Amino acid sequence: MERVIRVKGTGKVATPPDLVEISLTINGISKNYEKAMKQAAEKLSHFKDDLLSLGFKEEDLKTANFQVNTNYESIRDENNQYKSVFTGFTCRHDLLLSFDFTKEKLADVLNVLSQGEKELEFRLNFTVKDPESLTEKLLESAAKNARKKAEILCAASKVTLGELVNIDYSWEEISLYSDTNFRMPNQLMGKSAVMEANVAFQPKDVESTDTATFIWAIKS
């Protein structure tokens, strides 16, 4: 029976984020289908105009989800029984805007989002422009970590590390987002307020870990 050593390598990477992703939702709500659609379309048109004024292109704003739902409300009838009553339509448009991270550009976009007449819901995330490069570094780190562990174990056991026999890797999706949580009330989201808040604002590094199992032959 061939003697082997099985070692799990853990890779770790950390790098400053260089990309901002803003997920936003535009809603149109009305008892009339056409009015709900028109309301959502007008809000989107105004938002696009503001983005174009900041130097964005129309294709920078991507649709992630679009749906129209019917709304119902549960009420009691004259017999004190509950029944569902149609209350209107909701047109929901989920979009994604990505751009290179600078404090000034982020402040400009947040200022646009803060304008009350648009009534936009949004979530902000920090990530990296080149995820493939970061993933490669992660795998390299895991391989180096595993070999170092194997060499230490072999040296301590007075055996020699032989050829690499097998690598077991799960290829699961890896999260490459900073866990920075950026929140500010809409009333304070204007550009000047955001710029003041951003004086010392720096998102946390994008940190990630991954593992792979390596098997080497061992010799006496």
Side-chain angles (χ1 to χ4, degrees):
M1 181 178 178
E2 185 179 16
R3 296 195 301 167
V4 297
I5 180 172
R6 182 189 302 267
V7 179
K8 179 180 286 187
T10 301
K12 298 181 180 180
V13 292
T15 188
D18 56 7
L19 187 73
V20 180
E21 288 185 353
I22 297 182
S23 303
L24 60 129
T25 299
I26 292 176
N27 288 314
I29 303 173
S30 175
K31 289 186 177 181
N32 180 276
Y33 170 77
E34 287 78 11
K35 287 183 178 180
M37 294 288 287
K38 183 179 179 181
Q39 189 182 111
E42 288 177 348
K43 290 180 182 179
L44 177 58
S45 178
H46 293 157
F47 181 58
K48 281 184 176 180
D49 288 344
D50 287 336
L51 288 181
L52 292 174
S53 72
L54 296 178
F56 287 94
K57 298 178 181 178
E58 190 166 345
E59 56 266 28
D60 291 333
L61 192 61
K62 309 293 185 182
T63 293
N65 175 58
F66 183 88
Q67 58 186 20
V68 179
N69 296 316
T70 51
N71 302 322
Y72 290 86
E73 184 180 349
S74 183
I75 65 172
R76 291 180 185 270
D77 61 17
E78 62 276 8
N79 298 316
N80 204 32
Q81 299 295 316
Y82 281 103
K83 66 175 182 179
S84 293
V85 176
F86 174 74
T87 59
F89 297 92
T90 296
C91 174
R92 179 187 175 110
H93 198 167
D94 296 320
L95 301 118
L96 179 66
L97 177 68
S98 303
F99 54 91
D100 293 353
F101 169 58
T102 66
K103 296 175 184 178
E104 293 76 17
K105 196 165 188 178
L106 176 58
D108 286 336
V109 175
L110 290 178
N111 183 51
V112 168
L113 288 167
S114 71
Q115 296 179 21
E117 65 272 13
K118 296 188 184 66
E119 300 175 1
L120 303 182
E121 305 170 18
F122 68 92
R123 184 176 69 256
L124 188 152
N125 290 305
F126 300 93
T127 184
V128 291
K129 290 188 290 186
D130 188 3
E132 289 186 8
S133 176
L134 202 60
T135 300
E136 289 174 3
K137 291 178 181 178
L138 198 55
L139 295 177
E140 290 173 1
S141 175
K144 291 177 181 179
N145 178 258
R147 185 169 188 89
K148 183 176 181 180
K149 289 177 181 177
E151 290 172 345
I152 292 173
L153 289 169
C154 286
S157 303
K158 301 188 184 307
V159 295
T160 302
L161 187 67
E163 292 184 353
L164 182 64
V165 176
N166 187 55
I167 302 174
D168 184 13
Y169 181 64
S170 64
W171 295 100
E172 294 179 356
E173 187 174 350
I174 302 168
S175 175
L176 295 176
Y177 287 89
S178 167
D179 62 4
T180 295
N181 186 7
F182 186 97
R183 290 188 179 184
M184 185 176 287
N186 274 4
Q187 296 91 331
L188 298 177
M189 199 65 82
K191 182 176 179 180
S192 60
V194 173
M195 290 297 289
E196 282 185 27
N198 277 349
V199 169
F201 175 74
Q202 180 61 46
K204 292 177 63 177
D205 284 354
V206 174
E207 298 179 345
S208 190
T209 61
D210 200 7
T211 61
T213 300
F214 298 77
I215 300 176
W216 283 274
I218 54 175
K219 304 174 184 179
S220 300

